Amino acid sequence: MKTYFFAVRSKNVLKIIFGFLLLFLLQPIFLAAQTVESDERALINVEEGISISKDSLFLLNLRFRMQNRAGFNTVSGDLLNVNEYEMRVRRLRLRLDGFVLSPRVQYYIQLAFSKADLDLESGDIAQPIRDAIIYYTFNKNFYVGFGQSKLPGNRQRVNSSGNLQFADRSVVNGLFTLDRDFGFFGYYTFNFPNESILQLKGAISTGDGRNASKINDGLAYTGRLEILPFGNFKNNGDYSEGDIAFETDPKLSLGLTFSRNNKANRTGGQLGQELYEFKDMNSLIIDGVFKYQGWAVLSEYMNRTSPDPITTNALGDVRFVVVGGGVNTQVSKMINKKSELALRYAYVIPNSQISQFQNRIDESLLGYTRYINGHRIKMQANIGYRWLEGLTDLDRAGNTWTGMFQVEFGI
């Protein structure tokens, strides 16, 4: 897709608005190239989307994406009657990247509009702001940020939801991810003569998740180390699922994250219901991704601990820090340049402290993706089985089949 530039002058505001709308309507459906979205930095040099600039003083890259889906869950493993349908716009996002005054001063804003993205399924207050962060770039290997963005946690969470090879992230991510937070961020890359790469990432944040109010004097401290022994992946492929770039040489990235959240207010730190009292928690994450000639393997181990995870209110209601661990592993193969088959197996095991409240959960999914224009325009179909307490019996209460069809569309 072509990138369009407009000179911003106050006398031509109406012309700019008219041109902006016209170009939006005339965007070609099938794109010639694709920029892999990064949720850890602003996108400045993009091959698609709409760009507005004024010399070297201002740049705005505008992109959107949506995920429309239809899915079902069965009554049980042996009773295949549909218990519930899921038919909705799962995500509708508007993303703005660019710089102001200097290319060193960059920004990244992401707004959400669907019900799930606004957190209206779990709360009463709409939360349209997902990302709002300012970056200062010292050089190509070192930049810092201030604002709200994803913490440098597990790889699948930091992956944009538009770069996934299944319709949803794993159950392990759902229970143990770090997610978004507000604070100070830092990123540094070491490049070695043998092409290997070492990346250091860190954040000091509120620990209470996105759009949080003043709560207490606790903060979260997160550090991440990544090693790429064989050099960079094509097109930022270490943060995009599936080997749609068909790596000609083996590529590997290994990551290690540790996060300490002091006086956390929610059951999952940055996510979940509010606890009845503040709790400290630690998170450990080990993950890796390997790609070669259309094959891809992604695996993550996640663990959260808290010395005293259970809280109660005056009525005896219980809310607890979700402590325990789990593993998610995905293996995929590109059948051809446009089609991919993927298999996922994931499980979570709660710590004995909360085992009376939280089940062990296992899930297995088979996925097919048809890439029309990489991850930006694609169709996905998933079928899977989820079982409790390690018991795969079809007649076991709580075990269910699930299916999902999803269309991703964006620029």
Side-chain angles (χ1 to χ4, degrees):
M1 170 173 288
K2 296 179 180 178
T3 304
Y4 300 91
F5 296 88
F6 298 89
V8 179
R9 299 182 179 89
S10 59
K11 296 181 180 179
N12 295 325
V13 172
L14 292 178
K15 292 181 180 180
I16 291 172
I17 295 174
F18 176 80
F20 177 85
L21 294 174
L22 180 63
L23 290 170
F24 178 81
L25 293 172
L26 294 178
Q27 292 296 313
I29 295 177
F30 300 102
L31 309 177
Q34 180 206 100
T35 300
V36 171
E37 225 170 60
S38 171
D39 281 348
E40 287 189 326
R41 67 187 313 162
L43 293 177
I44 301 301
N45 301 311
V46 298
E47 298 294 333
E48 63 269 325
I50 298 174
S51 294
I52 302 173
S53 71
K54 182 178 181 180
D55 302 324
S56 60
L57 297 178
F58 172 81
L59 173 68
L60 167 65
N61 291 321
L62 174 66
R63 309 171 76 198
F64 80 91
R65 63 185 175 90
M66 62 181 176
Q67 293 176 352
N68 293 349
R69 65 169 54 173
F72 68 89
N73 289 310
T74 64
V75 174
S76 64
D78 59 345
L79 187 59
L80 301 183
N81 294 351
V82 174
N83 180 50
E84 59 184 8
Y85 288 104
E86 180 183 356
M87 304 182 72
R88 58 173 173 159
V89 179
R90 173 60 182 87
R91 292 179 176 90
L92 181 60
R93 305 275 178 88
L94 181 65
R95 175 167 178 153
L96 304 94
D97 306 78
F99 60 79
V100 177
L101 300 180
S102 165
R104 291 181 180 272
V105 184
Q106 302 175 3
Y107 63 89
Y108 164 34
I109 299 170
Q110 186 170 210
L111 304 176
F113 302 95
S114 69
K115 183 177 180 179
D117 272 345
L118 290 170
D119 290 351
L120 290 176
E121 293 183 335
S122 57
D124 299 324
I125 301 175
Q127 304 277 7
I129 303 172
R130 300 198 73 83
D131 301 276
I133 184 168
I134 302 168
Y135 293 110
Y136 185 82
T137 301
F138 293 91
N139 54 56
K140 66 178 182 179
N141 293 323
F142 180 36
Y143 63 101
V144 296
F146 173 65
Q148 180 173 288
S149 188
K150 289 181 179 178
L151 292 173
N154 64 300
R155 192 177 302 269
Q156 188 169 79
R157 169 56 69 180
V158 178
N159 282 350
S160 167
S161 57
N163 292 337
L164 304 178
Q165 58 189 174
F166 291 92
D168 285 310
R169 296 181 175 92
S170 75
V171 63
V172 184
N173 177 92
L175 289 179
F176 298 117
T177 189
L178 300 180
D179 204 64
R180 290 173 167 88
D181 215 350
F182 188 98
F184 297 90
F185 299 75
Y187 305 83
Y188 195 90
T189 299
F190 295 90
N191 296 288
F192 298 98
N194 62 354
E195 296 188 353
S196 61
I197 296 171
L198 174 65
Q199 295 179 333
L200 301 179
K201 305 176 181 182
I204 300 175
S205 59
T206 67
D208 300 310
R210 64 191 185 101
N211 307 318
S213 303
K214 293 185 293 184
I215 297 175
N216 57 44
D217 60 348
L219 293 174
Y221 305 87
T222 304
R224 181 170 172 85
L225 170 71
E226 291 181 8
I227 300 174
L228 289 75
F230 309 132
N232 278 320
F233 290 63
K234 291 181 181 178
N235 202 16
N236 298 322
D238 51 330
Y239 277 93
S240 176
E241 293 186 358
D243 186 17
I244 63 176
F246 285 84
E247 295 285 355
T248 54
D249 298 311
K251 295 295 181 180
L252 174 68
S253 176
L254 300 174
L256 172 66
T257 292
F258 180 78
S259 183
R260 168 75 174 180
N261 195 338
N262 295 322
K263 297 185 179 180
N265 185 51
R266 304 172 76 176
T267 58
Q270 289 78 24
L271 294 170
Q273 293 180 303
E274 291 186 1
L275 297 165
Y276 295 125
E277 58 182 290
F278 304 135
K279 293 292 182 179
D280 296 339
M281 60 182 73
N282 297 323
S283 296
L284 174 67
I285 300 167
I286 304 172
D287 60 52
V289 60
F290 174 82
K291 296 185 179 183
Y292 181 53
Q293 294 186 348
W295 285 94
V297 179
L298 166 71
S299 191
E300 299 180 315
Y301 165 77
M302 304 177 68
N303 182 270
R304 182 187 292 128
T305 60
S306 179
D308 182 19
I310 297 176
T311 68
T312 59
N313 65 5
L315 300 176
D317 296 327
V318 174
R319 289 183 182 173
F320 53 88
V321 178
V322 182
V323 291
V327 175
N328 171 48
T329 300
Q330 298 174 190
V331 180
S332 62
K333 176 68 170 69
M334 294 294 295
I335 304 170
N336 52 49
K337 292 292 185 179
K338 295 289 186 179
S339 298
E340 177 192 63
L341 284 176
L343 180 66
R344 168 193 287 168
Y345 172 61
Y347 66 87
V348 296
I349 301 177
N351 282 359
S352 58
Q353 299 161 291
I354 64 166
S355 58
Q356 59 179 315
F357 307 109
Q358 176 68 52
N359 290 317
R360 168 176 175 157
I361 305 173
D362 293 64
E363 67 175 6
S364 184
L365 282 175
L366 176 64
Y368 170 78
T369 301
R370 177 69 177 178
Y371 297 101
I372 299 173
N373 179 59
H375 279 289
R376 296 285 68 76
I377 303 178
K378 62 189 177 186
M379 295 183 292
Q380 297 176 293
N382 303 161
I383 187 73
Y385 185 60
R386 178 174 290 190
W387 62 99
L388 303 180
E389 298 306 316
L391 303 173
T392 59
D393 307 54
L394 295 178
D395 59 353
R396 169 68 161 78
N399 293 357
T400 60
W401 292 91
T402 183
M404 184 70 69
F405 172 74
Q406 178 168 282
V407 175
E408 173 99 20
F409 187 90
I411 59 173

